[in-house]
Amino acid sequence: MLTRKQHELLLFIHERLKESGIPPSFDEMKEALDLASKSGIHRLITALEERGFIRRLPNRARALEVIRLPDSIAPGLGGPRKFSPSVIEGSLGKRPDPAPARQASNDDAAGISIPVMGRIAAGVPIDAIQHQTHSVAVPPDMLSGGEHFALEVRGDSMIEAGILDGDTVVIRSTSTASPGEIVVALVDDEEATLKRFRRKGASIALEAANPAYETRIFGPDRVKVQGRLVGLIRRY
């Protein structure tokens, strides 16, 4: 499932390449999607890669490969849903392919299974919560009332709270939080991050637990709480 902006960017790239054979520049993509900065385009392209719609090509500093189009786009373009990949020039480097979904092990059977909804940034924000990738079993006493889900942590902005890159955090779904709680925050309906929730007057502050990262402050209408941290799973 793609967000509206991801869907728009993928369609824009595909149509531009089909019409002219020349891929759009980052400035053109930024203008077409009415974004304020190129960093927003970078996040969208990263999300499209993680979802398997594009791939960054090795040893080519400015190349992307379009792998597929979503069902909602392909039928309306008058072509088959499967098509030959197109090389699209960009200004991004190579990232590794996302890891395949992990099947629950026998050890998982002892706990309660909850869905893992992709990755969450403990660092530079990534795109909003994605689709379910697999499930993980957690001890029953880690869960309270309500719905829960898990996210894989990427980044080091919460290391002083004991949350490391590669950990899996267990989140209780909620739209409210108290100051000081660690939450999944959705910013501008586009990017999700794991941070400590604070209030600064009428504004909301998302505070890292690493002095290398600055506290980010937003108007209350720009931040939506998606859930609150209730547990953590770490594999050695």
Side-chain angles (χ1 to χ4, degrees), residues 167-229:
D167 286 347
T168 298
V169 288
V170 179
I171 305 296
R172 181 181 183 273
S173 296
T174 180
S175 60
T176 61
S178 299
E181 290 182 328
I182 296 175
V183 303
V184 174
L186 183 63
V187 180
D188 295 333
D189 290 324
E190 288 292 341
E191 57 184 43
T193 188
L194 186 72
K195 293 291 186 291
R196 197 175 297 279
F197 181 87
R198 301 286 189 189
R199 290 197 178 275
K200 300 288 186 181
S203 299
I204 292 175
L206 300 179
E207 180 182 274
N210 181 337
Y213 293 84
E214 295 182 354
T215 297
R216 304 175 71 203
I217 299 176
F218 302 94
D221 58 330
R222 296 184 60 193
V223 177
K224 296 177 182 177
V225 174
Q226 303 285 285
R228 176 174 57 85
L229 177 72

Side-chain angles (χ1 to χ4, degrees), residues 7-223:
H7 191 282
E8 289 177 358
L9 180 60
L10 187 59
L11 181 59
F12 176 69
I13 291 173
H14 177 78
E15 289 289 349
R16 177 61 67 87
L17 191 64
K18 185 176 69 172
E19 291 172 0
S20 65
I22 301 173
S25 67
F26 264 45
D27 283 327
E28 289 171 331
M29 288 187 280
K30 177 173 70 72
E31 183 177 351
L33 271 67
D34 194 27
L35 295 180
S37 68
K38 295 179 184 178
S39 63
I41 296 296
H42 175 84
R43 288 193 295 271
L44 292 173
I45 288 178
T46 298
L48 288 172
E49 180 186 25
E50 290 178 346
R51 287 159 174 80
F53 291 98
I54 63 176
R55 180 169 61 226
R56 308 184 201 206
L57 301 179
N59 304 320
R60 299 183 65 178
R62 298 183 56 205
L64 296 172
E65 184 177 51
V66 177
I67 301 172
R68 65 186 179 96
L69 296 173
D71 292 348
S72 59
I73 292 179
L77 294 179
R81 294 185 179 184
K82 293 183 179 180
F83 62 99
S84 299
S86 302
V87 176
I88 299 178
E89 300 297 326
S91 59
L92 297 176
K94 168 72 176 174
R95 288 174 61 92
D97 291 332
R102 181 184 64 84
Q103 298 297 321
S105 67
N106 291 334
D107 292 338
D108 290 338
I112 297 176
S113 180
I114 63 173
V116 178
M117 303 298 290
R119 299 171 178 173
I120 185 70
V124 178
I126 60 177
D127 273 87
I129 296 174
Q130 306 162 22
H131 53 81
Q132 180 177 349
T133 59
H134 58 280
S135 297
V136 66
V138 301
D141 57 3
M142 187 180 290
L143 307 179
S144 55
E147 296 183 358
H148 294 76
F149 59 92
L151 293 164
E152 297 173 348
V153 175
R154 291 294 179 265
D156 61 357
S157 74
M158 299 303 290
I159 56 175
E160 293 188 1
I163 302 171
L164 308 182
D165 182 57
D167 286 347
T168 298
V169 288
V170 179
I171 305 296
R172 181 181 183 273
S173 296
T174 180
S175 60
T176 61
S178 299
E181 290 182 328
I182 296 175
V183 303
V184 174
L186 183 63
V187 180
D188 295 333
D189 290 324
E190 288 292 341
E191 57 184 43
T193 188
L194 186 72
K195 293 291 186 291
R196 197 175 297 279
F197 181 87
R198 301 286 189 189
R199 290 197 178 275
K200 300 288 186 181
S203 299
I204 292 175
L206 300 179
E207 180 182 274
N210 181 337
Y213 293 84
E214 295 182 354
T215 297
R216 304 175 71 203
I217 299 176
F218 302 94
D221 58 330
R222 296 184 60 193
V223 177

